[in-house]
């Protein structure tokens, strides 16, 4: 009978798999560090030669430019300009994301419509927009539509007497009076409506009659808003042309409008495809089960298909939102004063390029990370609800 | 708690096995995060011996044979295959993998290569055999598992039973000293199980050393020199097929067999 | 009639939708047709066609471009025809013509349009010669399959042999005409193709790195990928426009196109990495285990088993990435002043002859057409490939 061989021999270092793994990693790390160091070295020599500052002190320098439509004094530091640019980026991104979701979902559903005309229309829209570059669309909106098609202020279009459309922008009816009061009323209206809908839900659970959340909720909302109007006295104001400008209402400056419309149209075509794909991915059996339960078409969509489709679509949708935010940087090509445009202008006015653009990149990174985190949270909540 | 599997074998199988053990596992432990898959396992396999390992799921039978060719890394104890010890020495690991062949439950054929290439890839890449020689060897093995005509086809075009036979040929192409089978028929439709078991039986009759993890008790009875029953990470009972199936001693063995047979 | 009722007029609401969308569609179509055939002034395109297509490429060397296109057309058609298996059932001649029409009709129509717009005989000749090279390619491929001496030639001799002509011509084109003079649609293609080719190996390495079990390697790869994916391409281009020269020794002052290619390559590599990583993740773990059990080392397993499968699985996604890249090359026009198609399109409206006449619609329509046809044809081919790959598995 054999016996066990003597105690195990320790493998020589150069054959030990653990040593090899770490040696390889350290080698890779060393290569990367060496490369980065080389880049940095080049940077230092080149910059020293051209005597350009490399820190962030330029943020304190006066901006030396104004942004029409935003109130920024010429003498205010560059830092404030950046903040304003950041704010503008957020503005166009958030509104854009909201509008895109709505439009994209509608078009996506339309792609699956049984009506031939609607289906073809939606398909044509998606196929047309998806295949052309975003910049082309933006240039078209800007140069062709706004600068050429939109009339000059003297001949402004006045659809329904509610809007004023000219090449200076679009003016929509808006509220006067304190914005704060309006928000407060809006918030309380929403809260009350939500409470009413919840109560109706509970009542319906108890006595079995339909909740009719909409029929109760909508009037509640309207009642609160109107009450607020009467009591607190904020008001709508219709814009009108006054000499060579518009007065009253909210004026959306042309580049904001162009950028917003372009981003929404472009991104919604991608969103439409995602929505369509995810609706089709909801297993056919679900649809059949819903039919077997005699749910109506609308109920089936609302209660069975869309919730599941939404869960499937969420990661891809999050991606599109990120794309929209990043694409907003193209606003710089049409003089919309978002973050990238600010960076470009200040660099043109003498701020050092590398720190300025690096700062810009970092801000975008931060926005992307925050958005990703939010999307992940939504994703996880949707998944949790499953199990 | 585990029995010394080897002593029993020499006594019970009447000298069929050789003296030297080709696989030795000494007090082997394997932990996964919070779960101990192998608890102090002592296990030996003699040359030309066929050992069948049975047991409930989660008992550690797959972990046992996957430790032998380092698909799992054991945490404690020693494993020695044909005189070479399994340590973090990369040379040892590669050598042991060359000398052991494994057949998986899910076949794991390479879908982008033809059957011929699947069988020849081992000898060509690892043993550095020239292409023509490797392909001749492959054809010989494919004939042995009775599907030479499928050589130019792709795995997706074959049935499960055929794929598994190709997997056996692929493992044999490396001319291993020990063949490890990890539930080779569990993923097959019933009508194809026998064609694969026949091939394995033939291999056993030709004297190949084998460790087979399986649920096919009829096969075990026919072919095994020894049957090992594992539960909860330990070897509970060992014996000839006759001993284990007809006269189990331990409670857990009895319980398991009553559920299966 | 039944079809109309079911698809257009199911219910009152449905009919209303049909009427509304129908009228909008008619209105739009009518407007477009009017624009294209009646009111549009296309002479701006006609005059500037060369500028739009190839930028300031030297006149006398233009034959290199046409030659390259012809050689490429020949190569693609010959390679495709010669590798078709004769064993497969070949559909009838009529059907094959119809299929070819569906696949390439759009391209052919666009080609004809370009010839018509240019209005000179030379482009007609060029068009005919391109068609001729395609047909020649088909004949050569057919000969390879049937005629005996060519039949015996092994694949690894035949295909490189075919590729000789296009490679030589393309190399000549690259070397003879200074890159700074390239422009128009040509430069969009150029930047896209070079960038995707260069980004490939880098992207694969990043993907392998991100999936690696070695923590430092994984950290470096993940950091790079996430940093790039969070950054807008436009800003990266702007940064490269003003700052790239700071990071390289002063002897290597990069030109505009080189900067563009650098940024696009680094950018695309991160996205390619994510695509390849997805592919790698879809490979079942058993594949690597089988490789290990056979005694293959990690490098061999990656190069022979996992990577080939992963790359084949993600071909459609890769093509999608290329199409995105192709469209994004327009950004190089604004950020780096590269004279790409879009840039030329907007610039020519400022020419003396055409200034202030609102011709931006015509130029942008032309630019949109070219990009749209390119994108659309490529995505359709990608869908075809996807379907073919799907059929291969059981």
């Amino acid at each position: 009978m054999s016996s066990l061989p003597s105690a195990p021999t320790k493998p020589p270092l150069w054959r030990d798999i653990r040593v090899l793994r770490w040696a390889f990693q350290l080698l890779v790390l060393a290569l990367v560090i060496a490369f980065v160091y080389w880049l940095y070295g080049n940077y230092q020599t080149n910059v020293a030669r051209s005597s350009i500052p490399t820190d962030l002190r330029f943020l304190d320098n006066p901006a030396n430019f104004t942004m029409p439509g935003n109130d920024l004094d010429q003498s205010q530091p560059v830092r404030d300009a950046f903040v304003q640019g950041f704010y503008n980026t957020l503005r166009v991104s958030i509104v854009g994301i909201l509008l895109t979701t709505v439009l994209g979902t509608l078009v996506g559903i339309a792609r699956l419509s049984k009506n031939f005309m609607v289906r073809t229309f939606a398909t044509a829209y998606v196929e047309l927009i998806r295949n052309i570059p975003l910049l082309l669309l933006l240039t078209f909106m800007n140069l062709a539509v706004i600068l050429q098609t939109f009339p000059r202020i003297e001949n402004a279009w006045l659809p329904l007497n509610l809007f004023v459309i000219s090449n200076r922008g679009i003016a929509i009816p808006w509220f006067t009076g304190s914005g704060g009061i309006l928000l407060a009323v809006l918030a309380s209206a929403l809260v009350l409506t939500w409470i009413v809908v919840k109560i109706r839900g509970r009542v319906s659970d108890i006595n079995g009659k339909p909740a009719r959340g909409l029929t109760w909720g909508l009037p509640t909302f309207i009642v609160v808003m109107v009450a607020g109007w009467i009591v607190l006295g904020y008001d709508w104001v219709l814009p009108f042309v006054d000499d060579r400008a518009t007065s009253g209402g909210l004026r959306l400056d042309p580049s904001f409008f162009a950028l917003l419309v372009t981003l929404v149209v472009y991104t919604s075509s991608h969103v439409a495809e995602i929505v369509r794909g995810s609706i089709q991915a909801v297993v056919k059996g679900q649809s059949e089960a819903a039919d077997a339960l005699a749910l109506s078409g609308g109920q089936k969509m609302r209660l069975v298909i869309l919730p599941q489709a939404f869960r499937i679509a969420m990661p891809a949708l999050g991606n599109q939102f990120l794309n929209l935010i990043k694409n907003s940087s193209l606003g710089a090509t049409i003089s919309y004063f978002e973050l990238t445009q600010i960076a470009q202008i200040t660099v043109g006015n003498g701020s050092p390029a590398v720190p300025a653009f690096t700062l810009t990149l970092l801000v975008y990174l931060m926005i992307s990370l925050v958005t990703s985190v939010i999307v992940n949270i939504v994703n996880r909540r949707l998944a949790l609800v499953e199990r | 708690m585990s029995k010394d599997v080897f002593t029993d074998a020499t006594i019970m199988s009447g000298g069929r096995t050789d003296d030297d053990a080709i696989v030795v596992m000494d007090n082997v432990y394997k932990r996964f995060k919070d779960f101990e898959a192998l608890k102090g396992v002592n296990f030996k396999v003699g040359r030309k011996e066929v050992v069948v390992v049975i047991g409930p799921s989660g008992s550690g039978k797959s972990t046992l044979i996957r430790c032998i060719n380092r698909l799992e890394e054991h945490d404690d104890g020693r494993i020695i295959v044909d005189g070479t010890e399994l340590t973090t020495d990369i040379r040892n690991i590669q050598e042991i993998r060359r000398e052991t062949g494994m057949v998986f439950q899910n076949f794991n054929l390479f879908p982008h290569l033809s059957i011929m290439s699947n069988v020849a890839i081992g000898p060509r890449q690892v043993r550095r055999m020239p292409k023509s020689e490797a392909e001749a060897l492959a054809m010989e093995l494919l004939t042995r598992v009775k599907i030479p005509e499928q050589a130019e086809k792709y795995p997706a075009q074959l049935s499960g039973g055929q794929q598994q036979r190709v997997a056996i040929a692929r493992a044999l192409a490396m001319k291993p000293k020990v063949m490890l089978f990890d539930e080779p028929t569990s993923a097959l439709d019933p009508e194809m199980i026998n064609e694969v078991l026949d091939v394995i039986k033939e291999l056993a009759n030709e004297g190949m050393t084998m460790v087979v993890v399986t649920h096919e008790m009829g096969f075990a009875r026919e072919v095994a020199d020894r049957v090992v029953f594992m539960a909860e990470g330990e070897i509970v009972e060992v014996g000839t097929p006759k001993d284990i199936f007809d006269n189990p001693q331990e409670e857990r063995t009895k319980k398991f067999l009553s559920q299966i047979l | 009639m039944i079809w109309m009722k079911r698809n257009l007029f199911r219910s009152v609401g449905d009919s209303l939708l049909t009427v509304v969308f129908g009228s909008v569609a008619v209105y739009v179509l009518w407007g477009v047709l009017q624009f294209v055939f009646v009111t549009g002034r296309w002479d701006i395109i006609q005059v500037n066609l060369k500028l739009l297509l190839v930028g300031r490429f030297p006149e006398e060397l233009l034959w290199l471009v046409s030659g390259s296109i012809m050689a490429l057309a020949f190569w693609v058609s010959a390679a495709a025809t010669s590798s078709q298996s004769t064993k497969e059932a070949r559909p009838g001649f009529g059907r094959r013509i119809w299929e070819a029409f569906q696949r390439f009709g759009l391209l052919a129509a666009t080609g004809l349009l370009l010839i018509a717009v240019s209005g000179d005989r030379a482009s007609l000749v060029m068009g005919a010669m391109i068609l001729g090279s395609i047909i020649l390619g088909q004949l050569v491929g057919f000969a390879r399959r049937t005629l005996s001496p060519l039949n015996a030639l092994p694949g690894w001799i035949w295909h490189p042999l075919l590729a000789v002509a296009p490679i030589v011509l393309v190399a000549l084109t690259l070397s003879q005409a200074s890159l700074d003079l390239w422009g128009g649609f040509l430069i969009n293609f150029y930047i896209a193709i070079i960038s995707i080719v260069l980004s490939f190996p880098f992207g694969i390495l990043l993907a392998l790195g991100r999936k690696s079990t070695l923590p430092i390697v994984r950290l470096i790869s993940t950091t790079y990928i996430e940093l790039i994916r969070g950054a807008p391409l436009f800003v990266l281009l702007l940064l490269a426009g003003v700052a790239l020269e700071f990071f390289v020794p002063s002897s290597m002052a990069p030109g505009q196109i080189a900067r563009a290619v650098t940024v696009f390559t680094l950018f695309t590599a991160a996205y390619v990495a994510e695509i390849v990583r997805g592919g790698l993740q879809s490979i079942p773990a058993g594949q690597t285990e089988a490789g290990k059990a056979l005694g293959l080392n990690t490098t061999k397993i990656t190069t022979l088993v996992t990577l080939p499968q992963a790359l084949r699985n993600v071909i459609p996604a890769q093509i999608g990435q290329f199409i995105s890249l192709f469209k994004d090359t327009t950004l190089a026009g604004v950020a780096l002043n590269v004279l790409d198609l879009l840039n030329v399109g907007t610039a020519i409206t400022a020419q003396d002859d055409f200034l202030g006449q609102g011709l931006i619609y015509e130029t942008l329509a032309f630019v949109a057409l070219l990009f749209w046809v390119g994108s659309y044809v490529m995505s359709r081919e990608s869908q075809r490939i996807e379907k073919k790959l799907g059929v291969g598995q059981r």
Side-chain angles (χ1 to χ4, degrees), chain B residues 109-115 117-118 150-159 163, chain C residues 312 392 394:
Chain B
L109 292 181
F110 303 133
H112 58 300
L113 299 176
S114 69
I115 301 296
S117 305
N118 260 284
Q150 310 287 356
E152 293 305 322
K153 294 216 183 130
Y154 282 78
Q157 295 169 293
L158 267 55
S159 74
Q163 288 189 51
Chain C
R312 193 176 300 191
R394 217 207 259 184

Side-chain angles (χ1 to χ4, degrees), chain A residues 21-33:
Chain A
R21 288 163 59 120
W22 278 100
F24 180 69
Q25 285 189 79
L26 289 174
L27 179 65
V28 169
L29 185 63
L31 282 174
V32 170
I33 290 183

Side-chain angles (χ1 to χ4, degrees), chain C residues 96-111:
Chain C
R96 272 174 32 226
I97 294 281
W98 171 239
E99 275 174 15
F101 176 69
Q102 277 187 313
R103 268 179 85 180
F104 304 111
L106 199 54
L107 271 180
T110 319

Side-chain angles (χ1 to χ4, degrees), chain C residues 150-169:
Chain C
L150 294 175
N151 224 339
L153 220 51
W156 56 270
I157 294 188
W158 170 251
H159 282 282
L161 197 63
L162 277 184
V164 162
I167 290 181
V168 164
L169 276 167

Side-chain angles (χ1 to χ4, degrees), chain A residues 330-381:
Chain A
L330 289 182
T333 61
I334 58 167
S335 324
Y336 175 62
F337 288 96
E338 44 76 53
L339 192 58
T340 317
Q341 171 76 319
I342 302 288
Q344 255 195 317
I345 294 184
T346 56
V347 168
N349 276 348
S351 299
V354 172
F357 281 122
T358 315
L359 179 65
T360 317
L361 276 175
L362 287 174
V363 174
Y364 274 109
L365 264 170
M366 187 199 74
I367 303 179
S368 293
L369 274 169
V370 170
T371 316
S372 294
V373 166
I374 297 179
V375 169
N376 274 336
I377 293 179
V378 174
N379 255 330
R380 227 170 305 152
R381 287 225 52 213

